[in-house]
mmCIF file of all heavy atoms in Angstrom:
data_model
loop_
_atom_site.group_PDB
_atom_site.id
_atom_site.type_symbol
_atom_site.label_atom_id
_atom_site.label_comp_id
_atom_site.label_asym_id
_atom_site.label_seq_id
_atom_site.Cartn_x
_atom_site.Cartn_y
_atom_site.Cartn_z
ATOM 1 N N ARG J 896 -18.838 -40.146 -31.095
ATOM 2 C CA ARG J 896 -19.584 -40.813 -32.278
ATOM 3 C C ARG J 896 -19.833 -39.793 -33.275
ATOM 4 O O ARG J 896 -20.954 -39.753 -33.824
ATOM 5 C CB ARG J 896 -20.896 -41.498 -31.657
ATOM 6 C CG ARG J 896 -20.698 -42.623 -30.826
ATOM 7 C CD ARG J 896 -22.040 -43.065 -30.161
ATOM 8 N NE ARG J 896 -22.975 -43.475 -31.300
ATOM 9 C CZ ARG J 896 -24.175 -43.398 -31.284
ATOM 10 N NH1 ARG J 896 -24.811 -42.957 -30.148
ATOM 11 N NH2 ARG J 896 -24.989 -43.665 -32.227
ATOM 12 N N GLU J 897 -18.844 -38.924 -33.640
ATOM 13 C CA GLU J 897 -19.144 -37.823 -34.551
ATOM 14 C C GLU J 897 -19.615 -38.285 -35.928
ATOM 15 O O GLU J 897 -20.411 -37.585 -36.630
ATOM 16 C CB GLU J 897 -17.792 -37.002 -34.602
ATOM 17 C CG GLU J 897 -17.420 -36.256 -33.488
ATOM 18 C CD GLU J 897 -16.545 -36.991 -32.466
ATOM 19 O OE1 GLU J 897 -16.495 -38.154 -32.622
ATOM 20 O OE2 GLU J 897 -16.158 -36.309 -31.525
ATOM 21 N N ASN J 898 -19.182 -39.476 -36.421
ATOM 22 C CA ASN J 898 -19.616 -39.945 -37.627
ATOM 23 C C ASN J 898 -21.141 -40.182 -37.810
ATOM 24 O O ASN J 898 -21.606 -40.218 -38.851
ATOM 25 C CB ASN J 898 -18.876 -41.233 -38.061
ATOM 26 C CG ASN J 898 -17.586 -40.921 -38.757
ATOM 27 O OD1 ASN J 898 -17.461 -39.955 -39.532
ATOM 28 N ND2 ASN J 898 -16.594 -41.672 -38.490
ATOM 29 N N ASP J 899 -21.788 -40.285 -36.655
ATOM 30 C CA ASP J 899 -23.274 -40.509 -36.577
ATOM 31 C C ASP J 899 -24.006 -39.361 -36.747
ATOM 32 O O ASP J 899 -25.258 -39.281 -36.970
ATOM 33 C CB ASP J 899 -23.660 -41.225 -35.359
ATOM 34 C CG ASP J 899 -23.131 -42.755 -35.281
ATOM 35 O OD1 ASP J 899 -22.708 -43.235 -36.389
ATOM 36 O OD2 ASP J 899 -23.033 -43.204 -34.186
ATOM 37 N N LEU J 900 -23.367 -38.079 -36.592
ATOM 38 C CA LEU J 900 -24.073 -36.824 -36.825
ATOM 39 C C LEU J 900 -24.572 -36.682 -38.117
ATOM 40 O O LEU J 900 -23.910 -36.901 -39.194
ATOM 41 C CB LEU J 900 -23.121 -35.647 -36.558
ATOM 42 C CG LEU J 900 -23.054 -35.077 -35.197
ATOM 43 C CD1 LEU J 900 -21.787 -34.129 -35.001
ATOM 44 C CD2 LEU J 900 -24.266 -34.185 -34.826
ATOM 45 N N PRO J 901 -25.804 -36.211 -38.324
ATOM 46 C CA PRO J 901 -26.365 -36.076 -39.862
ATOM 47 C C PRO J 901 -25.822 -34.724 -40.327
ATOM 48 O O PRO J 901 -26.063 -34.523 -41.509
ATOM 49 C CB PRO J 901 -27.909 -35.999 -39.534
ATOM 50 C CG PRO J 901 -28.031 -35.549 -38.011
ATOM 51 C CD PRO J 901 -26.858 -36.053 -37.330
ATOM 52 N N VAL J 902 -25.191 -33.892 -39.530
ATOM 53 C CA VAL J 902 -24.578 -32.715 -40.127
ATOM 54 C C VAL J 902 -23.169 -32.636 -39.747
ATOM 55 O O VAL J 902 -22.633 -33.424 -38.839
ATOM 56 C CB VAL J 902 -25.323 -31.396 -39.540
ATOM 57 C CG1 VAL J 902 -26.814 -31.374 -40.125
ATOM 58 C CG2 VAL J 902 -25.382 -31.382 -38.065
ATOM 59 N N ASP J 903 -22.424 -31.595 -40.286
ATOM 60 C CA ASP J 903 -21.103 -31.190 -39.730
ATOM 61 C C ASP J 903 -20.903 -29.808 -40.111
ATOM 62 O O ASP J 903 -21.758 -29.137 -40.699
ATOM 63 C CB ASP J 903 -19.999 -32.080 -40.323
ATOM 64 C CG ASP J 903 -18.848 -32.234 -39.266
ATOM 65 O OD1 ASP J 903 -18.535 -31.305 -38.577
ATOM 66 O OD2 ASP J 903 -18.255 -33.395 -39.272
ATOM 67 N N GLN J 904 -19.841 -29.129 -39.561
ATOM 68 C CA GLN J 904 -19.823 -27.718 -39.539
ATOM 69 C C GLN J 904 -19.611 -26.976 -40.796
ATOM 70 O O GLN J 904 -19.880 -25.848 -40.947
ATOM 71 C CB GLN J 904 -18.732 -27.321 -38.509
ATOM 72 C CG GLN J 904 -18.961 -27.926 -37.103
ATOM 73 C CD GLN J 904 -20.407 -27.604 -36.521
ATOM 74 O OE1 GLN J 904 -21.167 -28.517 -36.485
ATOM 75 N NE2 GLN J 904 -20.651 -26.446 -36.114
ATOM 76 N N HIS J 905 -19.196 -27.747 -41.969
ATOM 77 C CA HIS J 905 -19.157 -27.105 -43.140
ATOM 78 C C HIS J 905 -20.579 -26.726 -43.682
ATOM 79 O O HIS J 905 -20.678 -25.752 -44.387
ATOM 80 C CB HIS J 905 -18.515 -28.133 -44.254
ATOM 81 C CG HIS J 905 -19.367 -29.315 -44.431
ATOM 82 N ND1 HIS J 905 -19.585 -30.226 -43.392
ATOM 83 C CD2 HIS J 905 -19.757 -29.891 -45.590
ATOM 84 C CE1 HIS J 905 -20.226 -31.211 -43.940
ATOM 85 N NE2 HIS J 905 -20.254 -31.153 -45.144
ATOM 86 N N MET J 906 -21.604 -27.481 -43.190
ATOM 87 C CA MET J 906 -22.883 -27.144 -43.383
ATOM 88 C C MET J 906 -23.409 -25.814 -42.717
ATOM 89 O O MET J 906 -24.200 -25.103 -43.242
ATOM 90 C CB MET J 906 -23.818 -28.311 -43.109
ATOM 91 C CG MET J 906 -23.589 -29.576 -43.904
ATOM 92 S SD MET J 906 -24.312 -31.022 -43.213
ATOM 93 C CE MET J 906 -24.725 -31.928 -44.600
ATOM 94 N N LEU J 907 -22.755 -25.635 -41.549
ATOM 95 C CA LEU J 907 -23.097 -24.390 -40.857
ATOM 96 C C LEU J 907 -22.542 -23.209 -41.630
ATOM 97 O O LEU J 907 -23.127 -22.148 -41.685
ATOM 98 C CB LEU J 907 -22.453 -24.420 -39.421
ATOM 99 C CG LEU J 907 -22.762 -23.217 -38.468
ATOM 100 C CD1 LEU J 907 -24.203 -23.063 -38.191
ATOM 101 C CD2 LEU J 907 -21.963 -23.358 -37.201
ATOM 102 N N ILE J 908 -21.298 -23.355 -42.066
ATOM 103 C CA ILE J 908 -20.693 -22.319 -42.916
ATOM 104 C C ILE J 908 -21.572 -22.078 -44.101
ATOM 105 O O ILE J 908 -21.792 -20.877 -44.543
ATOM 106 C CB ILE J 908 -19.304 -22.612 -43.286
ATOM 107 C CG1 ILE J 908 -18.393 -22.935 -42.153
ATOM 108 C CG2 ILE J 908 -18.657 -21.653 -44.264
ATOM 109 C CD1 ILE J 908 -18.037 -21.809 -41.203
ATOM 110 N N ALA J 909 -22.011 -23.215 -44.726
ATOM 111 C CA ALA J 909 -22.785 -23.018 -45.977
ATOM 112 C C ALA J 909 -24.098 -22.272 -45.754
ATOM 113 O O ALA J 909 -24.680 -21.672 -46.672
ATOM 114 C CB ALA J 909 -23.053 -24.369 -46.614
ATOM 115 N N LEU J 910 -24.637 -22.331 -44.434
ATOM 116 C CA LEU J 910 -25.895 -21.711 -44.210
ATOM 117 C C LEU J 910 -25.855 -20.179 -44.248
ATOM 118 O O LEU J 910 -26.871 -19.478 -44.349
ATOM 119 C CB LEU J 910 -26.434 -22.087 -42.839
ATOM 120 C CG LEU J 910 -27.036 -23.617 -42.738
ATOM 121 C CD1 LEU J 910 -27.282 -23.892 -41.333
ATOM 122 C CD2 LEU J 910 -28.266 -23.634 -43.618
ATOM 123 N N ALA J 911 -24.524 -19.647 -44.362
ATOM 124 C CA ALA J 911 -24.548 -18.211 -44.522
ATOM 125 C C ALA J 911 -24.538 -17.839 -46.000
ATOM 126 O O ALA J 911 -24.830 -16.598 -46.251
ATOM 127 C CB ALA J 911 -23.140 -17.643 -43.988
ATOM 128 N N ALA J 912 -24.494 -18.773 -46.861
ATOM 129 C CA ALA J 912 -24.372 -18.381 -48.352
ATOM 130 C C ALA J 912 -25.673 -17.752 -48.748
ATOM 131 O O ALA J 912 -26.784 -18.133 -48.292
ATOM 132 C CB ALA J 912 -24.205 -19.774 -49.083
ATOM 133 N N PRO J 913 -25.598 -16.836 -49.797
ATOM 134 C CA PRO J 913 -24.390 -16.423 -50.397
ATOM 135 C C PRO J 913 -23.605 -15.215 -49.730
ATOM 136 O O PRO J 913 -22.836 -14.533 -50.342
ATOM 137 C CB PRO J 913 -24.968 -15.992 -51.768
ATOM 138 C CG PRO J 913 -26.290 -15.366 -51.513
ATOM 139 C CD PRO J 913 -26.841 -16.249 -50.350
ATOM 140 N N ARG J 914 -24.077 -14.846 -48.576
ATOM 141 C CA ARG J 914 -23.484 -13.769 -47.906
ATOM 142 C C ARG J 914 -21.965 -14.022 -47.601
ATOM 143 O O ARG J 914 -21.629 -15.225 -47.404
ATOM 144 C CB ARG J 914 -24.282 -13.507 -46.588
ATOM 145 C CG ARG J 914 -25.696 -12.967 -46.678
ATOM 146 C CD ARG J 914 -26.476 -13.032 -45.389
ATOM 147 N NE ARG J 914 -26.640 -14.439 -45.038
ATOM 148 C CZ ARG J 914 -26.887 -14.943 -43.782
ATOM 149 N NH1 ARG J 914 -26.891 -14.126 -42.794
ATOM 150 N NH2 ARG J 914 -27.008 -16.175 -43.557
ATOM 151 N N PRO J 915 -21.203 -12.888 -47.467
ATOM 152 C CA PRO J 915 -19.790 -13.193 -47.014
ATOM 153 C C PRO J 915 -19.656 -13.728 -45.683
ATOM 154 O O PRO J 915 -20.390 -13.372 -44.738
ATOM 155 C CB PRO J 915 -19.291 -11.695 -47.156
ATOM 156 C CG PRO J 915 -20.135 -10.926 -47.968
ATOM 157 C CD PRO J 915 -21.567 -11.537 -47.785
ATOM 158 N N ILE J 916 -18.729 -14.621 -45.518
ATOM 159 C CA ILE J 916 -18.486 -15.204 -44.186
ATOM 160 C C ILE J 916 -16.949 -15.169 -44.017
ATOM 161 O O ILE J 916 -16.208 -15.487 -45.036
ATOM 162 C CB ILE J 916 -19.089 -16.605 -44.013
ATOM 163 C CG1 ILE J 916 -18.878 -17.033 -42.544
ATOM 164 C CG2 ILE J 916 -18.500 -17.598 -45.017
ATOM 165 C CD1 ILE J 916 -19.810 -18.272 -42.299
ATOM 166 N N TYR J 917 -16.471 -15.029 -42.795
ATOM 167 C CA TYR J 917 -15.013 -14.991 -42.580
ATOM 168 C C TYR J 917 -14.760 -15.900 -41.412
ATOM 169 O O TYR J 917 -15.442 -15.880 -40.330
ATOM 170 C CB TYR J 917 -14.513 -13.571 -42.243
ATOM 171 C CG TYR J 917 -12.999 -13.439 -42.443
ATOM 172 C CD1 TYR J 917 -12.499 -12.597 -43.579
ATOM 173 C CD2 TYR J 917 -12.144 -14.076 -41.744
ATOM 174 C CE1 TYR J 917 -11.153 -12.511 -43.802
ATOM 175 C CE2 TYR J 917 -10.763 -13.925 -41.939
ATOM 176 C CZ TYR J 917 -10.322 -13.108 -42.997
ATOM 177 O OH TYR J 917 -8.949 -12.927 -43.089
ATOM 178 N N VAL J 918 -13.851 -16.775 -41.507
ATOM 179 C CA VAL J 918 -13.373 -17.685 -40.511
ATOM 180 C C VAL J 918 -11.925 -17.426 -40.241
ATOM 181 O O VAL J 918 -11.071 -17.467 -41.221
ATOM 182 C CB VAL J 918 -13.616 -19.184 -40.895
ATOM 183 C CG1 VAL J 918 -13.044 -20.028 -39.774
ATOM 184 C CG2 VAL J 918 -15.126 -19.415 -40.945
ATOM 185 N N ALA J 919 -11.483 -17.214 -38.953
ATOM 186 C CA ALA J 919 -10.219 -16.908 -38.645
ATOM 187 C C ALA J 919 -9.586 -17.981 -37.568
ATOM 188 O O ALA J 919 -10.393 -18.446 -36.699
ATOM 189 C CB ALA J 919 -10.022 -15.634 -37.989
ATOM 190 N N SER J 920 -8.394 -18.550 -37.779
ATOM 191 C CA SER J 920 -7.725 -19.437 -36.917
ATOM 192 C C SER J 920 -6.406 -18.976 -36.507
ATOM 193 O O SER J 920 -5.883 -17.931 -37.035
ATOM 194 C CB SER J 920 -7.575 -20.794 -37.762
ATOM 195 O OG SER J 920 -8.640 -21.306 -38.340
ATOM 196 N N ALA J 921 -5.809 -19.606 -35.405
ATOM 197 C CA ALA J 921 -4.578 -19.155 -34.862
ATOM 198 C C ALA J 921 -3.627 -20.293 -34.652
ATOM 199 O O ALA J 921 -3.970 -21.433 -34.374
ATOM 200 C CB ALA J 921 -4.782 -18.430 -33.576
ATOM 201 N N GLU J 922 -2.353 -20.017 -34.982
ATOM 202 C CA GLU J 922 -1.346 -21.131 -34.880
ATOM 203 C C GLU J 922 -1.265 -21.925 -33.678
ATOM 204 O O GLU J 922 -1.206 -23.127 -33.689
ATOM 205 C CB GLU J 922 0.068 -20.361 -35.225
ATOM 206 C CG GLU J 922 1.130 -21.306 -35.224
ATOM 207 C CD GLU J 922 2.588 -20.611 -35.371
ATOM 208 O OE1 GLU J 922 2.540 -19.369 -35.054
ATOM 209 O OE2 GLU J 922 3.495 -21.305 -35.643
ATOM 210 N N LYS J 923 -1.428 -21.263 -32.478
ATOM 211 C CA LYS J 923 -1.150 -21.932 -31.253
ATOM 212 C C LYS J 923 -2.460 -22.422 -30.681
ATOM 213 O O LYS J 923 -2.581 -22.907 -29.592
ATOM 214 C CB LYS J 923 -0.400 -21.004 -30.260
ATOM 215 C CG LYS J 923 0.964 -20.704 -30.670
ATOM 216 C CD LYS J 923 1.604 -19.787 -29.589
ATOM 217 C CE LYS J 923 3.118 -19.442 -30.150
ATOM 218 N NZ LYS J 923 3.749 -18.539 -29.181
ATOM 219 N N ASP J 924 -3.582 -22.200 -31.391
ATOM 220 C CA ASP J 924 -4.853 -22.496 -30.920
ATOM 221 C C ASP J 924 -5.185 -23.945 -31.485
ATOM 222 O O ASP J 924 -6.255 -24.106 -32.135
ATOM 223 C CB ASP J 924 -5.952 -21.535 -31.311
ATOM 224 C CG ASP J 924 -7.229 -21.645 -30.730
ATOM 225 O OD1 ASP J 924 -7.325 -22.436 -29.667
ATOM 226 O OD2 ASP J 924 -8.239 -21.160 -31.118
ATOM 227 N N ARG J 925 -4.473 -24.928 -31.075
ATOM 228 C CA ARG J 925 -4.601 -26.300 -31.602
ATOM 229 C C ARG J 925 -5.889 -26.968 -31.207
ATOM 230 O O ARG J 925 -6.526 -27.773 -31.834
ATOM 231 C CB ARG J 925 -3.375 -27.151 -31.235
ATOM 232 C CG ARG J 925 -2.093 -26.621 -31.838
ATOM 233 C CD ARG J 925 -0.848 -27.280 -31.212
ATOM 234 N NE ARG J 925 -0.809 -28.727 -31.634
ATOM 235 C CZ ARG J 925 -0.158 -29.630 -31.020
ATOM 236 N NH1 ARG J 925 0.563 -29.394 -29.875
ATOM 237 N NH2 ARG J 925 -0.063 -30.906 -31.479
ATOM 238 N N TRP J 926 -6.279 -26.541 -29.937
ATOM 239 C CA TRP J 926 -7.467 -27.055 -29.351
ATOM 240 C C TRP J 926 -8.728 -26.813 -30.257
ATOM 241 O O TRP J 926 -9.651 -27.609 -30.360
ATOM 242 C CB TRP J 926 -7.694 -26.423 -27.950
ATOM 243 C CG TRP J 926 -8.838 -26.890 -27.102
ATOM 244 C CD1 TRP J 926 -10.007 -26.123 -26.878
ATOM 245 C CD2 TRP J 926 -9.026 -28.128 -26.473
ATOM 246 N NE1 TRP J 926 -10.773 -26.751 -25.952
ATOM 247 C CE2 TRP J 926 -10.217 -28.023 -25.748
ATOM 248 C CE3 TRP J 926 -8.224 -29.230 -26.339
ATOM 249 C CZ2 TRP J 926 -10.689 -29.054 -24.894
ATOM 250 C CZ3 TRP J 926 -8.846 -30.239 -25.605
ATOM 251 C CH2 TRP J 926 -9.933 -30.177 -24.864
ATOM 252 N N ALA J 927 -8.748 -25.699 -30.951
ATOM 253 C CA ALA J 927 -9.811 -25.339 -31.831
ATOM 254 C C ALA J 927 -9.718 -25.952 -33.268
ATOM 255 O O ALA J 927 -10.509 -25.712 -34.125
ATOM 256 C CB ALA J 927 -9.846 -23.818 -31.978
ATOM 257 N N ASP J 928 -8.585 -26.642 -33.554
ATOM 258 C CA ASP J 928 -8.320 -27.352 -34.856
ATOM 259 C C ASP J 928 -8.404 -26.319 -35.937
ATOM 260 O O ASP J 928 -9.398 -26.333 -36.754
ATOM 261 C CB ASP J 928 -9.467 -28.455 -35.029
ATOM 262 C CG ASP J 928 -9.108 -29.228 -36.296
ATOM 263 O OD1 ASP J 928 -7.969 -29.127 -36.883
ATOM 264 O OD2 ASP J 928 -10.045 -29.930 -36.834
ATOM 265 N N PRO J 929 -7.392 -25.492 -36.109
ATOM 266 C CA PRO J 929 -7.340 -24.564 -37.243
ATOM 267 C C PRO J 929 -7.472 -25.194 -38.642
ATOM 268 O O PRO J 929 -8.283 -24.615 -39.483
ATOM 269 C CB PRO J 929 -5.896 -23.893 -37.053
ATOM 270 C CG PRO J 929 -5.628 -24.052 -35.668
ATOM 271 C CD PRO J 929 -6.171 -25.354 -35.222
ATOM 272 N N LYS J 930 -6.889 -26.345 -38.765
ATOM 273 C CA LYS J 930 -7.069 -26.918 -40.175
ATOM 274 C C LYS J 930 -8.537 -27.363 -40.409
ATOM 275 O O LYS J 930 -9.060 -27.288 -41.485
ATOM 276 C CB LYS J 930 -6.095 -28.106 -40.327
ATOM 277 C CG LYS J 930 -6.118 -28.690 -41.803
ATOM 278 C CD LYS J 930 -5.043 -29.770 -41.971
ATOM 279 C CE LYS J 930 -4.981 -30.344 -43.345
ATOM 280 N NZ LYS J 930 -3.980 -31.386 -43.498
ATOM 281 N N GLY J 931 -9.068 -27.912 -39.265
ATOM 282 C CA GLY J 931 -10.552 -28.292 -39.518
ATOM 283 C C GLY J 931 -11.436 -27.040 -39.657
ATOM 284 O O GLY J 931 -12.575 -27.190 -40.459
ATOM 285 N N GLU J 932 -11.034 -25.918 -39.187
ATOM 286 C CA GLU J 932 -11.816 -24.746 -39.568
ATOM 287 C C GLU J 932 -11.688 -24.292 -41.026
ATOM 288 O O GLU J 932 -12.694 -24.008 -41.766
ATOM 289 C CB GLU J 932 -11.439 -23.579 -38.689
ATOM 290 C CG GLU J 932 -11.668 -23.772 -37.115
ATOM 291 C CD GLU J 932 -11.304 -22.567 -36.329
ATOM 292 O OE1 GLU J 932 -10.214 -22.081 -36.453
ATOM 293 O OE2 GLU J 932 -12.168 -22.304 -35.418
ATOM 294 N N PHE J 933 -10.482 -24.436 -41.558
ATOM 295 C CA PHE J 933 -10.268 -24.212 -42.952
ATOM 296 C C PHE J 933 -11.135 -25.232 -43.830
ATOM 297 O O PHE J 933 -11.745 -24.864 -44.812
ATOM 298 C CB PHE J 933 -8.823 -24.184 -43.382
ATOM 299 C CG PHE J 933 -8.565 -24.351 -44.819
ATOM 300 C CD1 PHE J 933 -8.858 -23.174 -45.678
ATOM 301 C CD2 PHE J 933 -8.247 -25.523 -45.466
ATOM 302 C CE1 PHE J 933 -8.648 -23.199 -47.024
ATOM 303 C CE2 PHE J 933 -8.045 -25.547 -46.806
ATOM 304 C CZ PHE J 933 -8.314 -24.477 -47.659
ATOM 305 N N LEU J 934 -11.068 -26.383 -43.478
ATOM 306 C CA LEU J 934 -11.706 -27.596 -44.220
ATOM 307 C C LEU J 934 -13.223 -27.307 -44.271
ATOM 308 O O LEU J 934 -13.856 -27.577 -45.363
ATOM 309 C CB LEU J 934 -11.425 -28.897 -43.768
ATOM 310 C CG LEU J 934 -9.859 -29.264 -44.015
ATOM 311 C CD1 LEU J 934 -9.631 -30.639 -43.219
ATOM 312 C CD2 LEU J 934 -9.677 -29.433 -45.387
ATOM 313 N N SER J 935 -13.817 -26.755 -43.188
ATOM 314 C CA SER J 935 -15.243 -26.493 -43.220
ATOM 315 C C SER J 935 -15.472 -25.323 -44.222
ATOM 316 O O SER J 935 -16.494 -25.407 -45.000
ATOM 317 C CB SER J 935 -15.668 -25.914 -41.855
ATOM 318 O OG SER J 935 -15.984 -26.975 -41.028
ATOM 319 N N CYS J 936 -14.646 -24.412 -44.393
ATOM 320 C CA CYS J 936 -14.798 -23.383 -45.391
ATOM 321 C C CYS J 936 -14.676 -24.001 -46.786
ATOM 322 O O CYS J 936 -15.366 -23.648 -47.690
ATOM 323 C CB CYS J 936 -13.768 -22.299 -45.209
ATOM 324 S SG CYS J 936 -13.901 -21.333 -43.634
ATOM 325 N N LEU J 937 -13.706 -24.874 -46.980
ATOM 326 C CA LEU J 937 -13.424 -25.447 -48.285
ATOM 327 C C LEU J 937 -14.682 -26.369 -48.741
ATOM 328 O O LEU J 937 -15.044 -26.198 -49.844
ATOM 329 C CB LEU J 937 -12.125 -26.463 -48.088
ATOM 330 C CG LEU J 937 -11.851 -27.096 -49.498
ATOM 331 C CD1 LEU J 937 -11.512 -26.152 -50.625
ATOM 332 C CD2 LEU J 937 -10.654 -28.009 -49.191
ATOM 333 N N HIS J 938 -15.228 -27.065 -47.769
ATOM 334 C CA HIS J 938 -16.340 -27.910 -48.128
ATOM 335 C C HIS J 938 -17.694 -27.159 -48.148
ATOM 336 O O HIS J 938 -18.650 -27.837 -48.527
ATOM 337 C CB HIS J 938 -16.393 -29.135 -47.120
ATOM 338 C CG HIS J 938 -15.218 -30.174 -47.335
ATOM 339 N ND1 HIS J 938 -15.040 -30.955 -48.348
ATOM 340 C CD2 HIS J 938 -14.205 -30.361 -46.620
ATOM 341 C CE1 HIS J 938 -14.086 -31.573 -48.385
ATOM 342 N NE2 HIS J 938 -13.350 -31.289 -47.207
ATOM 343 N N ALA J 939 -17.737 -25.982 -47.745
ATOM 344 C CA ALA J 939 -18.901 -25.102 -47.961
ATOM 345 C C ALA J 939 -18.761 -24.514 -49.264
ATOM 346 O O ALA J 939 -19.894 -23.942 -49.780
ATOM 347 C CB ALA J 939 -19.038 -23.957 -46.896
ATOM 348 N N ASP J 940 -17.716 -24.505 -49.989
ATOM 349 C CA ASP J 940 -17.408 -23.812 -51.245
ATOM 350 C C ASP J 940 -18.563 -24.254 -52.280
ATOM 351 O O ASP J 940 -19.023 -23.364 -53.131
ATOM 352 C CB ASP J 940 -16.068 -24.106 -51.724
ATOM 353 C CG ASP J 940 -15.816 -23.521 -53.104
ATOM 354 O OD1 ASP J 940 -15.487 -22.292 -53.160
ATOM 355 O OD2 ASP J 940 -15.926 -24.216 -54.159
ATOM 356 N N PRO J 941 -18.884 -25.512 -52.453
ATOM 357 C CA PRO J 941 -19.831 -25.907 -53.549
ATOM 358 C C PRO J 941 -21.181 -25.137 -53.458
ATOM 359 O O PRO J 941 -21.875 -24.828 -54.420
ATOM 360 C CB PRO J 941 -20.051 -27.349 -53.339
ATOM 361 C CG PRO J 941 -18.694 -27.910 -52.794
ATOM 362 C CD PRO J 941 -18.357 -26.715 -51.810
ATOM 363 N N VAL J 942 -21.602 -24.820 -52.241
ATOM 364 C CA VAL J 942 -22.944 -24.213 -52.058
ATOM 365 C C VAL J 942 -22.766 -22.615 -52.549
ATOM 366 O O VAL J 942 -23.624 -22.186 -53.201
ATOM 367 C CB VAL J 942 -23.313 -24.126 -50.586
ATOM 368 C CG1 VAL J 942 -24.599 -23.332 -50.353
ATOM 369 C CG2 VAL J 942 -23.542 -25.512 -50.150
ATOM 370 N N TYR J 943 -21.586 -22.110 -52.111
ATOM 371 C CA TYR J 943 -21.366 -20.729 -52.648
ATOM 372 C C TYR J 943 -21.302 -20.557 -54.067
ATOM 373 O O TYR J 943 -21.755 -19.720 -54.732
ATOM 374 C CB TYR J 943 -20.110 -20.248 -51.894
ATOM 375 C CG TYR J 943 -20.375 -19.580 -50.560
ATOM 376 C CD1 TYR J 943 -20.484 -20.362 -49.361
ATOM 377 C CD2 TYR J 943 -20.528 -18.126 -50.413
ATOM 378 C CE1 TYR J 943 -20.758 -19.806 -48.142
ATOM 379 C CE2 TYR J 943 -20.793 -17.588 -49.191
ATOM 380 C CZ TYR J 943 -20.954 -18.341 -48.070
ATOM 381 O OH TYR J 943 -21.216 -17.828 -46.899
#
């Protein structure tokens, strides 16, 4: 029921702002959703 969460992980990335933050993904690590990790960074961008 993820849509019911009042937060998502782009907000966790944003909580580091304005400090530098680095997120790394790996091609074969599909379980960790590499694209979803990038999208969290992208959607934290407005705060930065």
